Amino acid sequence: MLRFILVFSLLILIPYRQAWAAPVLPVQADPAHTGPELLEMQRIYLQKGISGAAEYARGRRIKLEADRVEAVLEFQQDWPIDENLVRSMGISVERRYRNLLQVKIPLAKLAALSRSLTGLEMIRLPFYPFEAVQSQGVGTMGASDMQALGSTGQGVKVAIIDLGFQNLTAAKNAGEVPSNVITVDYSGTGIETTTPHGTAVAEVVHDMAPDAQLYLLKVGSDVGLGYAKDYCIANGIRVINHSVAWLNVAFYDGTGTICNIANDAYAHGILWVNAAGNYAYSHYQATLTDTDNDTKHEFSGTDEALSLYASAGSTIEILMNWNAYPTTKEDYDLYLYNIDPDLNPGAAVVASSTISQGPVARPPAEDLVYTAPSAGTYYLVVKKKATSDANLPFDLYFFGASSLQYKNMESSLAQPADAAGVLAVGAVNMTDSLEYYSSRGPTNDGRTKPDVTATDGTSNSIYGSFYGTSCASPHTAGAAALLLSQNPALTVQQLWTKLETNIVDLGSAGKDTLYGAGRISLDADGDGLTHDQETKTYGTNPILFDTDNDGLGDGYEVSLGTNPLQTDTDNDGLSDGNEINLYGTNPLLFDTDGDGYGDGQEIALLSDPLNPSSVPQFATGDLAPHGAPDGVVDMADALLAMRIATGDLTPTPLDMARADVAPLGSPDGVIDISDVLLIMRKASGLVTF
């Protein structure tokens, strides 16, 4: 009889279980034979389809064409690979090398392939080569985050206007710059001549924004620069990098031919990014002072000669201009000595620059050049032609000289970094210390420059380690290209503003004349936190908008004070996002309304977490001890309710929420004897509510 009952039960249960069987889940690729990146891609594909897989592939060195991923089938050594069998499974075979088969696999067939091919050791991504040299600024400034999220400069045209592109062919062959660069020579001397500087700059831009279309424009004069700017306007270029300094063109106040050219680019929607210059330790500025009326400038007290050092065979060049543009008759000159003329009245001049600014008015500029025959100290004297010449502000820039006795780091910008329409870039090292040579502001008309700083001293195939604002500037231009590929609709001013706000503020708070607004640090995921804030301050993921997946962006959580790494900051059982977006409770308070019950507990028990008069149903009737209920409804609670009902005790809002229970199911807002009786019945176990 027992056997009959068991058999009968089984016959009944079998169809019942079949009818309610769980749905068959998509087959996962065999993890023993599939590389981790492909496993993750397949998981995303099964959840989100091809769009999700494509998003995962971007920036991860995964080649995905439509629904096919490029991969390698790695078989056992000497296994007789049947390529026709692989093709019959819908797999495209590209090429074979020994036991490796490079293929393109439809993601829908990855699981079957991983489980059905005998002799298969692993399906993996190809071993793609890395660039031989890459700038470390890519990681420092958050460009790698942008690239990982699919913003690689695609669709953005960037021009490098420079003085020469030597070694360009070798750099293209090595993959340091893209093979599709477009070159234009406005110097008449050939693209791959003069200097490799432009090639080094192009390499940095390519590291930052590898899919940007690069235009390499060579110039050698202001006319050539104008032609290059017009070419950029005509060809839809969005960003110009100019790691070039122009001196003795205007008084570094944002005026003059070079600044006008750059400002015109800005007026046509092009962001002109320019190196600030490397002249902080090779610059002197003052107002000509001649208290003894001998026409010589007094550098300090009675000292009328600035000492400097030059090595044997070095060429010293000293540029001077003064605040009298465009032309003047106020005439200043430069004289160089090999002994101190203050101590040796008969000292001979070894070099001079004495351009006459009168009687015909000429530009207020002098240029002294001298090749030192021997190493030693030399002395520079600044003179005005006559005592009647006005005492005006002037600047000196020194090349081939060191150990200047007097120098001014401030206002050491070159042109067109001083232009209002140019984003001027200073240089910091890999630990965010300002490079000693990085030119500083303000401009000579009092505006704050540089605008931003960026990293230099990074690896470079041309220079080994690339130092100077010439390196910092293309890092910034590359960052601009990344932002444009993320949002092509940005205007030139919006792009400028993003670069000035996606920064690490260094030095004094706010924009200053050393670091500008700060060092570039991109916000790739758009959560309001920069790369440095996410990686160094908060520990959040710089490529995830919402690191803890609680429904609130990381930056918003930081502004709220919640923890962007913890889904439920106050541990009340509700995620921070649900507290803000769904319930209106405070994600920083376990018990928003202060009624003694956590917000999550109230939500779960259908109580209002924003109303202290609303408590979970199980708590009704629980009054004692007064002000600190013990979680049990007993006669002590009934007696306390009696005191309230008789007027002996004034009820608190919490008392009203807990003791107003009658009529049962629709309390009347008054604690009276009917409430006392109901509480007594609950305490006696005669009723539940």
Side-chain angles (χ1 to χ4, degrees), residues 196-280:
H197 184 267
T199 306
V201 169
E203 181 181 326
V204 175
V205 176
H206 180 56
D207 284 344
M208 291 286 291
D211 290 326
Q213 174 62 61
L214 301 187
Y215 292 74
L216 311 184
L217 311 180
K218 184 181 177 185
V219 300
S221 69
D222 57 331
V223 174
L225 186 66
Y227 268 85
K229 177 265 298 178
D230 286 344
Y231 177 92
C232 293
I233 294 171
N235 285 276
I237 286 165
R238 299 292 306 275
V239 180
I240 290 172
N241 184 85
H242 195 48
S243 290
V244 174
W246 298 75
L247 301 170
N248 275 19
V249 179
F251 195 58
Y252 314 107
D253 55 3
T255 64
T257 300
I258 302 304
C259 287
N260 291 341
I261 290 171
N263 286 337
D264 190 49
Y266 178 90
H268 284 84
I270 301 173
L271 182 70
W272 186 300
V273 182
N274 213 100
N278 303 321
Y279 309 119

Side-chain angles (χ1 to χ4, degrees), residues 326-345:
T327 59
T328 185
K329 293 183 180 180
E330 308 293 346
D331 196 351
Y332 294 179
D333 296 317
L334 294 175
Y335 297 90
L336 190 68
Y337 300 81
N338 58 6
I339 57 175
D340 189 345
D342 287 343
L343 303 178
N344 301 276

Side-chain angles (χ1 to χ4, degrees), residues 366-404:
E366 298 285 340
D367 184 0
L368 183 153
V369 179
Y370 175 68
T371 300
S374 59
T377 301
Y378 294 80
Y379 300 85
L380 179 72
V381 172
V382 175
K383 289 185 65 175
K384 54 185 182 178
K385 188 73 70 177
T387 57
S388 58
D389 286 321
N391 295 330
L392 299 173
F394 70 93
D395 280 280
L396 297 169
Y397 286 83
F398 295 81
F399 297 86
S402 61
S403 303
L404 302 184

Side-chain angles (χ1 to χ4, degrees), residues 601-670:
Q601 187 180 27
E602 293 212 57
I603 292 295
L605 296 172
L606 305 179
S607 180
D608 184 355
L610 297 173
N611 183 0
S613 297
S614 173
V615 296
Q617 191 174 24
F618 74 86
T620 54
D622 181 20
L623 299 175
H626 193 227
D630 57 10
V632 178
V633 178
D634 53 22
M635 292 308 294
D637 301 294
L639 291 173
L640 197 55
M642 179 65 78
R643 292 183 63 196
I644 294 172
T646 59
D648 184 47
L649 185 66
T650 301
T652 66
L654 186 61
D655 294 334
M656 292 299 300
R658 290 168 175 261
D660 180 21
V661 294
L664 191 60
S666 58
D668 56 10
V670 178

Side-chain angles (χ1 to χ4, degrees), residues 337-360:
Y337 300 81
N338 58 6
I339 57 175
D340 189 345
D342 287 343
L343 303 178
N344 301 276
V349 174
V350 297
S352 64
S353 177
T354 57
I355 298 170
S356 178
Q357 276 78 31
V360 177

